[in-house]
Amino acid sequence: MSEAVISCKELKKTYQGPAAVPVLLGIDLEIHAGERIAIMGRSGSGKSTLLHLLGGLDAPSGGAVYVRGRPFSAMGEAERGAVRNATLGFVYQFHHLLPEFTALENVAMPLLIRRMNKENALQKAKQILAEVGLGHRLEHQPGELSGGERQRCAFARALVTEPACVLADEPTGNLDAHTADEVFEAMLRLSATRGTAFVIVTHDAGLAARAGRVLELRDGLLHPRG
């Protein structure tokens, strides 16, 4: 099998306070190109903490996270940021689209921040919005989009830079079942056509079952879910 896009070894996280709160007790995980992994678990089990660590947004208390074989811990802050921008995409329960910009402008934004030519950035954004079924909504602002359309737009924005892996934290948590299914279907389609890996935290067992691998975070460790 090819080298993992992201992996972690003996990953641990303890929150310090009046009393130490251990959350992750030694997670081992490898994520390969094109894989779709769903992570389930009760509220407070550490699912979001794990995603933040995998994305280099937080530092572990022990163990290490590797991006294409290189540990985040060996990188300076500037390099970590560059690696995140080049390799990872992020989607959250709330879409975080900028309300004053159109769908097209929101999706093009990460490319413009990278100083891509504006015409090329808009063309690339237009293409991926069409792939998620929003080719007819390019000039609409977030307030003019439905909840499912906003979330598909957020997926498009996460994918426009062609990351190797997208980390999604409850991306359908605010949507009704039908709309959540549409968003999830768009994600599966993008994963298949672009070879992008997805790691999705979800409470929806039906959606999780459509991922290639389903894991449960329980008692600080990941367990395969039958």
Side-chain angles (χ1 to χ4, degrees):
M1 188 176 282
S2 61
E3 179 184 64
V5 176
I6 307 176
S7 61
C8 62
K9 187 72 175 173
E10 282 296 310
L11 194 64
K12 299 176 183 177
K13 183 66 178 181
T14 297
Y15 289 105
Q16 302 297 333
V21 181
V23 179
L24 303 179
L25 303 181
I27 302 286
D28 294 334
L29 180 63
E30 289 190 353
I31 303 153
H32 294 267
E35 264 201 295
R36 300 188 297 267
I37 300 173
I39 297 177
M40 303 190 72
R42 62 175 178 77
S43 296
S45 61
K47 302 183 299 297
S48 294
T49 296
L50 176 57
L51 277 197
H52 290 160
L53 293 173
L54 291 175
L57 301 173
D58 194 7
S61 305
V65 175
Y66 302 85
V67 179
R68 298 197 184 280
R70 188 146 185 266
F72 266 130
S73 58
M75 305 176 195
E77 186 54 43
E79 186 181 1
R80 275 199 302 275
V83 167
R84 276 196 301 268
N85 290 338
T87 310
L88 304 175
F90 299 89
V91 181
Y92 300 98
Q93 187 168 348
F94 184 72
H95 54 78
H96 294 295
L97 299 172
L98 299 173
E100 67 271 30
F101 293 98
T102 65
L104 183 62
E105 291 167 335
N106 265 286
V107 173
M109 198 70 67
L111 299 175
L112 296 172
I113 289 171
R114 291 182 175 193
R115 303 185 185 280
M116 178 181 281
N117 171 277
K118 184 175 181 180
E119 183 179 347
N120 291 342
L122 291 173
Q123 184 57 39
K124 197 167 184 181
K126 183 177 180 179
Q127 178 185 343
I128 195 165
L129 280 164
E131 288 185 48
V132 298
L134 294 178
H136 62 303
R137 305 289 263 165
L138 302 179
E139 300 303 325
H140 290 75
Q141 293 178 328
E144 300 170 312
L145 302 175
S146 70
E149 288 172 334
R150 287 193 289 267
Q151 211 50 347
R152 279 186 279 159
C153 189
F155 267 117
R157 183 184 55 189
L159 281 158
V160 75
T161 57
E162 300 181 10
C165 181
V166 170
L167 303 173
D169 194 356
E170 290 284 358
T172 61
N174 286 332
L175 306 176
D176 63 74
H178 176 73
T179 306
D181 184 71
E182 287 184 343
V183 170
F184 202 81
E185 189 59 41
M187 184 217 74
L188 293 176
R189 191 165 57 250
L190 288 167
S191 175
T193 58
R194 291 173 173 264
T196 307
F198 279 86
V199 180
I200 307 147
V201 163
T202 182
H203 281 100
D204 189 323
L207 293 183
R210 294 161 63 185
R213 187 156 44 127
V214 185
L215 303 172
E216 183 177 5
L217 186 53
R218 186 175 70 249
D219 299 327
L221 297 170
L222 282 176
H223 305 268
R225 189 178 170 106

